Structure formats: structure tokens, C-alpha cells
Amino acid sequence: MNNTPPWATEALWKKVAVWVTALSFVLLVVLTFDSMAKTAAGGSRVPAYSVVNKQIDYRYDQAAQRYKPVIGGEQPLFGKALDEATAEQQVSLGKKTVQGKNCINCHTILGNGAYYAPDLTKSWLDPAWISETEREKRMLAFLLDPEKNHVGYGSTRRMPNQHLTEAEARGVIAFLKWMSSIDTNGFPHNFKTITAEQ
Amino acid sequence: MANGAIDTAALNGGQKLALHYFAVALILFAAQILFGLLAGIQFVKPDFLFGVLDFNVNRMVHINAMVVWLLYGFIGAIYWLLEEESGIAVVGLQLGRIAFWVLTAAVTVVVLVYLLVQSGAGNDTTIWLINEGREYIEAPRWADIGIVVVMLVFFYNVAGTFSKGRWSGIAGVLTLDLVALAGLYLAGMFYVTNITVDQYWWWWVIHLWVEATWEVLVGCIMAWSLMKLLGVRRQIVQTWLYIEVAMMFGSGILGLGHHYFWIGTPEYWLTIGGFFSALEPVPLVAMVVHAVYDAGVHKFKSGNHPALGWVIAHAFGNFLGAGVWGFMHTLPQINLYTHGTQWSASHGHLAFFGAYATLNIAVFYMAAQKLRGNVWMGGGLAGNGWKWKWSMALLNFGVLGMTVALLIAGYEQSFVERAVEGSTWGGYFAAQNHPWFQQAMVWRLALGVVTAGGLVLLLWDLLTIGKGESRSAPELSPEADAA
């Protein structure tokens, strides 16, 4: 039974497997270096943490035919402008709180997570906060006591009280505001922001 | 022993250790289903256990138990085949035994902390001791390090045994795959503030595990199983294994790009991710052809029908769940609307079950057979084998049913929440409150109960199958390899 054609031999496919795997992996590593350079905070896709001092919106871009974040004028968090280091510290506190309270097993973040509660990617811009002037106050009240301050939307689903400290809640708000400025290639599509509703 | 009594005397050292892994795997499988049911009830009745075991806790235990039981099953399966494949006793078996108890103690502590402590403050202590809050790899950092150590011991057992014994094609693929599997876990073990960078590396663990290294791992187990169950020629399964590796890594490594559409990464990922993930189902089709062809050529002659049945279920489940269901929503053109909806849950349920749970169950049946003194488990079992047949039917029907229910919910969400309402929180709840969505969630729960019934029957069957059987399994002499 030694009439196996070359294209059907174990030896050939072994070589193919090794080369295809190695090439794919090398390509992935090269692309990863490029992606890391392009997604560092402070670039055009992922703005610096001090973007929390600015007004942020998410609008349809006619040329690109997709939604893009738009960074506007000054709009500091809780009326106090933060330097870059303090802003990063606030965002980091917020992110660690989001991790420590296991938020991702109900919510999605950038569309990843569980689907029991709404996505948080652009939640800073959500019309749920009624108006830009009301927003910070309402977010803080909600995070500190979600049961008393929740908007039911006709659903009996509600967020349990995670017992955040006020500092943690302010950090979460900074994290959410910063995240809303990330260029997510148009996701979520067709999103009506709080300013569009005003 | 020919009367089907439990007898571990015929087992080799690796196989005795494998039984420990299988036992924990089955306990965690039961935990997965239990906490899945609790989470499923909460979708229908949100007040159920509110403030006691909230959805996020149940869901975390549900998905973590799944990941860990599948890994226990894989590790057990490899210990099971290690000595037969290499021709020698496991190298460093005593160390492997210690590693098992260390891992199991760690898993127990982590689960108790998940259930009793649940969450912590927004600082590094929480990340190190309680919960890392990153989906699928929530385990606190101390446990991460422990897992890496245990995986290194396991790797030493596998690589050491093969290098002292016989280096088959399966051995080579398996060993290299374990290097990748253990190495990738490191990509999930650091904290960064930048959420885009965080999720970038997080997907290295999640995607490259599940859609690359795990698929190759089950390819190895499948190749070995086909030789065992049907007496397929080694040369054929190994050639297929290499073809599968080429196609799996060739599509799966860059297919990673389909997770990089919307997390803030550059736009070229839309093209790369779309193209390569469209290729991802191809190796899975090959696997169906492979399994069915082999079974057909051997006229389904096997002394272990339950295991063969689950091997075939794996081939189809992998193709449908991972291949078809994955492809249906993986292109950016459609994923823009389906990302972050029940679509993902639908795909996840069928893919994890079809690709991984099924093959683990097949190995459990091979273990049960040998444990009973290698008795006959083909046609004409006591009671006509009703337990394994019904459990297989209920498990497959239950999971497929949940998948379809979640698919309906996902479609509804894509249209109502995303396309019409524009992804606001108001739009989200408009979709969640819609009778069509809620109906789908009731269906999901009902079929979850069916799945649980199938699991109970499976456990019962694994404990009793072959009891009192006096016939021996046929000696399958693998067809002679062409020189």
C-alpha cells in the first residue's frame, strides 16, 4: 500500500500545519504591535484620560458613513478640571470598582459581558440621565443607591446595591465618561445621545 | 473481571489519576447546570434571590464552572490516553497527583469566595483575593498563579512521558498545543487601566483558547478516540489531525480579529477578522466528514456505543454550534447589530456543548467501560441502553432548544433594541420587555430543565452502565499501518 500520492501523505500535512501556524502567529504578533501603538491612551482612537474634562458626543460622520465620538469644549467632571495624572487615577479607580463589583456579569462593556443589564460603552451619553446638567448628580445618586434611584422602564429588573463609596462612584463616572470617548468603529450603531434628545 | 464489577486493577497510573479529574469535572458540570438554571429563572422572575445570589454571581459561577469542568475533562482525557499512547508509565505521576489536589483545593476556595464574599472594593486587594471582574477569567490573581503552576506540572507529565516513550503524531501536536494553552493564560494576568488594551489581551486568552488551542486539543482526543472505538488506522487519523491543525490555526489565529471590531482597535481588524472568521467553519466541516466517514467505513462496529454516539454528537455539535452559529453573526456587517445581544449567548451555548462537553462525555464512557473490566457496551445493553440513549437525547435536545430560544431573543434584540431604537437604555428595555423576548426566555428556562434532566440521567448511567454485564468488549485490532 505504498501508492499514497504525495498530497495525501502525513509528512506533507505536518509541514503545512507547522508553516500555517507559524505564519499566522507571526502575523498576529506584528498586528498586535501596531494595534498597541494605535490604542495607547492619548491617541486618536483612545483619548487621554483628561478627556473627562471635555464635552463628549457621539455623532454620525457623513464622510465615514458611521458614528464617531466628537470631543467638544470644556466640561469638567463635577465642575473641577483634573490634570492628566489625577484623571488617570480617577479612571483607574472606576475601572477597578467595575471589576471588583463584578459589573460585567450583568452588563456588557464594549459589547462584551453578560446580557442581563444594558451596555455601558456609551452610557455616559445615554438619554436616561435626562439632561447634561442633571447627569452627574443623577449618576452619583443611582450608583450610591440604585434601588431608590432606578428608572424601571416598565421592567421589574433592578440593580442591587453594590455599596460603593462616594469616591468609588465618582471614579466609575470618570471611567464611563472616558470610555464614551473611545472610537469604537461605529458601535453601537444609530445611538441617540443625550444631546440629540435635548 | 467479566461481570462488570468496578475494578481499578486494570487501569494504569495515568488512568487512575484521570478518574479523579473526571469525578470533579462531573461535579462542576452539575454546578454549571444548577447555576445556569438559577440565572435562567432570574430572566423570567427578576426578584428571585435578589440581594442573596444576584444574577452576576450565578452567571459567574455558571460560566466559570463550565470552563473549569471542561479543562478538568481535557486534562483527565489526556492522562487517560497518555500511557497507552506513549507506551510507558507517566513520568512524575506523584507530582501530578499532588497537583490535582492543589488545583481542586484552589477551585473549591475560589467558588466559596464567589458565593460567600461575592465582590469587593475597587482596589488591588479585591483583584488579588476575591474577584478579578473579567468575564470568564474572574478567578483572583493568586489562583491564576496557582493554575499556571499546576499546568506546568501537567505539562511536565505529558512532555516527559512522551519524550521518554513513543513520540507519535498525536503526541507532538498535543505537546505543542499545551505550550500554547498554558502560555496564552499569561496574557490575562495583568491589570491595565486602558479598557481597549485590557480587552485586547483578554481575547488572547478567551478566543485563542476556545477557538484555537481547545479545538486542536479535542482534535487530538478525537483522533485517539477513533482509533480506540473503531480501530481506525493511525496514519489516517494523524494525517487528518495535521490537516485540522493547519485549517484550525490558519483560520482561528487571525479569526481573533472578529473580537476586535468594536473595542477601539484599528479598522483593519474589520477586514481581517471578517475574512478569517468566515474561514473558521471549514475545519469543522472536515471534522464531520472525518468522523462520519470513519464510522461508516467501520460499519459503526464498536464495543462502546455511548462513546461512539457522543463522538458523532461532537462532530455535528462542533460544526453547528461553533461553525454555523458562529459564522451567522461573525461578519462585521451583521455583528454591528448582533454584538452584545442574546445572539452571543445562543452561539455560546451550542458551541461549548457541541464542541467540548460532548467529547468529554465520550471519554467518560470510555473510562466507565474500562472501569467495569472492559465489558461490552455495544448493542443489546441491559434495558436496551435506555439511560444513555435518553440522556443523550435530552441533553442534545435541551441545549439545542436553549440555543434556538436564545437565537429568537437575539434576533428580537438586534431589530428592536439596535436597529429600531438605537441602543439606548430605553431601547434595551423596550427589547427586554417585549413579549417575544420574554417568551423566548421562558422557552430557554424550560429547555434548561430538560437539559438538567438529561444530566441527572447521564450521571446515573455513568455510575451503573456495564454493571452485571458478562460479555467482554471486542478486541479491536487497529488495521495494520502501511509500512
Side-chain angles (χ1 to χ4, degrees), chain A residues 10 32 34 95 99 112 153, chain B residues 198-200 238 268 433:
Chain A
E10 206 180 324
T32 295
D34 186 69
K95 183 164 177 283
Q99 288 184 220
N112 297 310
Y153 293 102
Chain B
D198 177 321
Q199 291 208 353
Y200 188 95
Q238 289 192 169
Y268 54 69
N433 291 338

Side-chain angles (χ1 to χ4, degrees), chain B residues 46-307:
Chain B
D47 282 333
F48 178 70
L49 291 181
F50 182 82
V52 182
L53 276 180
D54 286 313
F55 182 88
N56 63 341
V57 177
N58 292 327
R59 201 263 186 175
M60 173 173 59
V61 178
H62 175 59
I63 60 173
N64 281 245
M66 173 196 73
V67 171
V68 178
W69 94 253
L70 293 177
L71 278 173
Y72 264 78
F74 294 154
I75 295 174
I78 293 167
Y79 276 124
W80 186 266
L81 63 80
L82 196 49
E83 297 201 4
E84 291 186 11
E85 186 64 14
S86 66
I88 62 159
V90 174
V91 170
L93 186 63
Q94 186 55 29
L95 208 56
R97 283 198 203 104
I98 296 169
F100 165 80
W101 289 108
V102 171
L103 182 64
T104 304
V107 168
T108 311
V109 173
V110 169
V111 172
L112 287 176
V113 170
Y114 282 171
L115 291 176
L116 302 175
V117 185
Q118 299 187 357
S119 63
N123 58 33
D124 291 330
T125 313
T126 302
I127 288 175
W128 275 92
L129 299 179
I130 301 172
N131 184 322
E132 244 186 286
R134 299 173 77 209
E135 195 190 10
Y136 293 104
I137 48 175
E138 284 91 347
R141 192 64 48 77
W142 72 265
D144 285 344
I145 294 169
I147 289 166
V148 171
V149 173
V150 168
M151 284 304 286
L152 286 176
V153 171
F154 173 56
F155 179 75
Y156 164 70
N157 288 151
V158 173
T161 308
F162 280 132
S163 60
K164 258 182 81 181
R166 176 175 54 159
W167 259 114
S168 62
I170 293 177
V173 173
L174 195 58
T175 307
L176 288 177
D177 195 57
L178 288 178
V179 176
L181 185 96
L184 288 169
Y185 193 57
L186 299 174
M189 287 177 58
F190 50 88
Y191 173 84
V192 281
T193 303
N194 187 333
I195 184 78
T196 299
V197 174
D198 177 321
Q199 291 208 353
Y200 188 95
W201 292 110
W202 175 77
W203 279 118
W204 268 53
V205 187
I206 306 306
H207 171 97
L208 291 179
W209 262 19
V210 173
E211 291 175 61
T213 57
W214 281 21
E215 285 282 4
V216 169
L217 193 65
V218 291
C220 293
I221 298 171
M222 173 75 143
W224 186 81
S225 306
L226 288 174
M227 289 196 296
K228 273 280 135 184
L229 290 171
L230 292 165
V232 181
R233 198 142 49 97
R234 174 176 289 278
Q235 200 191 347
I236 295 195
V237 292
Q238 289 192 169
T239 307
W240 267 111
L241 184 61
Y242 289 129
I243 296 174
E244 278 169 20
V245 171
M247 294 199 290
M248 200 71 77
F249 280 142
S251 60
I253 290 179
L254 290 171
L256 175 59
H258 67 242
H259 301 294
Y260 293 161
F261 296 159
W262 326 118
I263 67 168
T265 37
E267 273 176 79
Y268 54 69
W269 284 113
L270 297 175
T271 317
I272 296 170
F275 183 82
F276 283 94
S277 52
L279 286 173
E280 279 190 60
V282 175
L284 305 176
V285 181
M287 209 173 268
V288 174
V289 175
H290 174 179
V292 173
Y293 179 81
D294 285 343
V297 162
H298 295 89
K299 299 193 168 55
F300 288 89
K301 269 188 197 150
S302 170
N304 193 332
H305 277 190

Side-chain angles (χ1 to χ4, degrees), chain A residues 1-2 4 7-18 20-36 38-42 45-46 49 66 68 88 91-123 126-129 142 147 151-162 168 175 178-179 182-193 197, chain B residues 39 42-43 45-47 50-51 54-57 59-60 63-64 118-124 126-127 130-136 138 169 184 191-204 208 233-236 238-239 242-243 245-247 249-251 253-254 256 259-270 272 276 335-337 339-342 344-345 413 417-430 432-433 437 482-483:
Chain A
M1 250 192 61
N2 255 336
T4 314
W7 56 266
T9 57
E10 206 180 324
L12 171 82
W13 284 104
K14 187 175 183 173
K15 287 192 194 100
V16 173
V18 170
V20 167
T21 305
L23 274 177
S24 303
F25 191 68
V26 167
L27 264 171
L28 176 64
V29 170
V30 171
L31 289 167
T32 295
F33 272 105
D34 186 69
S35 294
M36 283 301 115
K38 288 184 175 149
T39 54
R45 304 198 59 92
V46 181
Y49 299 107
R66 65 174 176 87
K68 278 188 174 174
E88 177 168 0
V91 171
S92 188
L93 171 63
K95 183 164 177 283
K96 279 182 184 166
T97 304
V98 164
Q99 288 184 220
K101 302 296 178 188
N102 197 11
C103 301
I104 201 159
N105 273 299
C106 283
H107 292 277
T108 44
I109 292 174
L110 299 169
N112 297 310
Y115 319 107
Y116 193 69
D119 188 74
L120 300 178
T121 312
K122 306 286 175 193
S123 54
D126 203 279
W129 309 115
F142 176 73
E147 291 192 73
V151 185
Y153 293 102
S155 165
T156 53
R157 229 180 282 172
R158 57 208 159 118
M159 183 163 117
N161 193 336
Q162 298 292 338
E168 286 172 338
F175 171 67
W178 165 75
M179 181 159 63
I182 295 175
D183 185 347
T184 47
N185 289 334
F187 175 86
H189 182 65
N190 198 23
F191 174 65
K192 309 283 186 301
T193 68
E197 300 268 313
Chain B
Q42 285 172 326
F43 255 108
K45 293 249 168 260
D47 282 333
F50 182 82
D54 286 313
F55 182 88
N56 63 341
V57 177
R59 201 263 186 175
M60 173 173 59
I63 60 173
N64 281 245
Q118 299 187 357
S119 63
N123 58 33
D124 291 330
T126 302
I127 288 175
I130 301 172
N131 184 322
E132 244 186 286
R134 299 173 77 209
E135 195 190 10
Y136 293 104
E138 284 91 347
L184 288 169
Y191 173 84
V192 281
T193 303
N194 187 333
I195 184 78
T196 299
V197 174
D198 177 321
Q199 291 208 353
Y200 188 95
W201 292 110
W202 175 77
W203 279 118
W204 268 53
L208 291 179
R233 198 142 49 97
R234 174 176 289 278
Q235 200 191 347
I236 295 195
Q238 289 192 169
T239 307
Y242 289 129
I243 296 174
V245 171
M247 294 199 290
F249 280 142
S251 60
I253 290 179
L254 290 171
L256 175 59
H259 301 294
Y260 293 161
F261 296 159
W262 326 118
I263 67 168
T265 37
E267 273 176 79
Y268 54 69
W269 284 113
L270 297 175
I272 296 170
F276 283 94
N335 192 255
L336 181 58
Y337 296 91
H339 181 52
T341 67
Q342 296 293 339
S344 308
Q413 254 189 302
E417 175 190 341
R418 290 283 155 79
V420 178
E421 298 272 349
S423 307
T424 57
W425 289 29
Y428 173 84
F429 280 105
Q432 302 288 314
N433 291 338
F437 183 90

